[in-house]
Amino acid sequence: MERKIVVAGNWKMNMLPSQTGEFIAGFKGKFKDDRQVVFCVPAVSLSVAVEAVKGTNYAVGAQNLHEKESGAYTGEISSQMLADMGVKYVIIGHSERRQYFGETDEGVNAKAQSALGAGLIPIICVGETLEERNKNITLEVVRLQTKVALHNIEEKAVKNIVIAYEPVWAIGTGLTATSQQAEEVCKAIRDLLAELYNDSVAKAVTIQYGGSVNGKNAGELFSQPNIDGGLVGGASLKAEFVDVVNG
Ligand code: PEP
């Protein structure tokens, strides 16, 4: 089975709820039909985004969740709440959340299990820092992050996961991994999936690249054999997102 190209725009903490509907509507009819486009918008804009994608094949994603179903967790949002409002995807373990909010690999695993339990598709982010790349431990770091994130997740469920390889040094910096660097790590992730599960899982799972993807470099990155699209920050907030998605 051919894997679909999935391109998710991570808006981070940008764009007002009142601007969201019009912004999404502006893309109508511009993306290639064979692309799955996901708008990962701030929590306060999710309901507007869900409304805006009605009648299209775009999906809406959240940028975080709390792993518990409900309870005394002031300010948090559960997977069940996201699913109930029509959200389909959720970014988990983005490097900004790891860096600024202390998220750990174990926490990422708990959130991924919660998302899958509610029928959401988790986009699990992994990636090395520049220091780790310079020490030549990129593959070890990414393998460990992925392995812990997938702990106790069964074969049936893992096929519904998206893994985003995002080298921390490439996020929001304008420095993009070369297509060879990105392909090497995405292939290593796929090999790990074959090792942890089997070839059928390895072939089924969508593996994205993220880190300063733009309208000029997306085509080459997404045409690598083990790269099935991207997680896109800055460029997803511009008209250029069309060129990114269409690659
Ligand atoms: C991201 O937010 O995941 C990201 C990759 O950002 P940017 O495309 O701006 O580097």
Side-chain angles (χ1 to χ4, degrees):
M1 194 189 71
E2 272 282 291
R3 287 184 303 272
K4 214 173 184 176
I5 297 277
V6 182
V7 183
N10 174 17
W11 289 9
K12 313 193 187 197
M13 195 173 72
N14 292 297
M15 192 88 74
L16 298 172
S18 58
Q19 299 169 315
T20 297
E22 199 181 328
F23 185 77
I24 292 176
F27 290 114
K28 276 191 187 147
K30 295 190 177 158
F31 299 130
K32 286 185 185 162
D33 287 340
D34 61 349
R35 304 311 205 217
Q36 174 63 65
V37 176
V38 187
F39 292 99
C40 298
V41 307
V44 289
S45 301
L46 286 168
S47 59
V48 189
V50 166
E51 203 49 45
V53 303
K54 280 194 178 144
T56 72
N57 59 355
Y58 320 150
V60 172
Q63 299 175 8
N64 186 29
L65 57 76
H66 191 283
E67 66 272 21
K68 292 278 184 353
E69 194 167 334
S70 61
Y73 301 98
T74 303
E76 294 294 319
I77 299 170
S78 72
S79 305
Q80 288 72 18
M81 291 171 181
L82 296 173
D84 183 69
M85 65 190 296
V87 170
K88 300 279 184 240
Y89 288 75
V90 57
I91 300 173
I92 295 179
H94 190 280
S95 71
E96 287 152 16
R97 295 214 55 88
R98 293 176 188 256
Q99 189 182 346
Y100 305 132
F101 304 99
E103 292 207 359
T104 61
D105 292 337
E106 289 72 17
V108 168
N109 175 243
K111 289 185 179 195
Q113 296 202 43
S114 164
L116 289 165
L120 297 170
I121 299 176
I123 301 177
I124 298 176
C125 303
V126 294
E128 82 288 2
T129 62
L130 188 56
E131 201 186 343
E132 289 162 341
R133 176 160 283 271
N134 289 339
K135 284 186 184 149
N136 225 356
I137 55 170
T138 296
L139 297 186
E140 285 89 340
V141 168
V142 170
R143 275 177 61 95
L144 185 65
Q145 289 173 335
T146 309
K147 214 166 166 173
V148 179
L150 299 180
H151 182 65
N152 275 342
I153 295 179
E154 289 174 6
E155 175 180 343
K156 219 170 49 241
V158 83
K159 290 186 177 174
N160 296 320
I161 282 178
V162 173
I163 298 175
Y165 165 54
E166 296 211 303
V168 179
W169 50 270
I171 299 176
T173 57
L175 294 173
T176 316
T178 63
S179 50
Q180 288 79 4
Q181 286 171 325
E183 166 63 16
E184 183 195 18
V185 182
C186 291
K187 180 176 185 308
I189 295 170
R190 204 173 298 288
D191 289 346
L192 175 65
L193 291 170
E195 209 178 293
L196 295 175
Y197 298 91
N198 52 49
D199 280 350
S200 140
V201 166
K203 282 198 184 107
V205 172
T206 297
I207 303 178
Q208 299 174 318
Y209 166 78
S212 298
V213 175
N214 59 41
K216 294 206 173 73
N217 59 30
E220 192 185 325
L221 285 160
F222 301 171
S223 63
Q224 300 303 308
N226 288 289
I227 302 180
D228 314 314
L231 181 55
V232 185
S236 73
L237 292 158
K238 303 178 192 156
E240 178 187 3
F241 191 48
V242 173
D243 301 324
V244 173
V245 170
N246 293 339

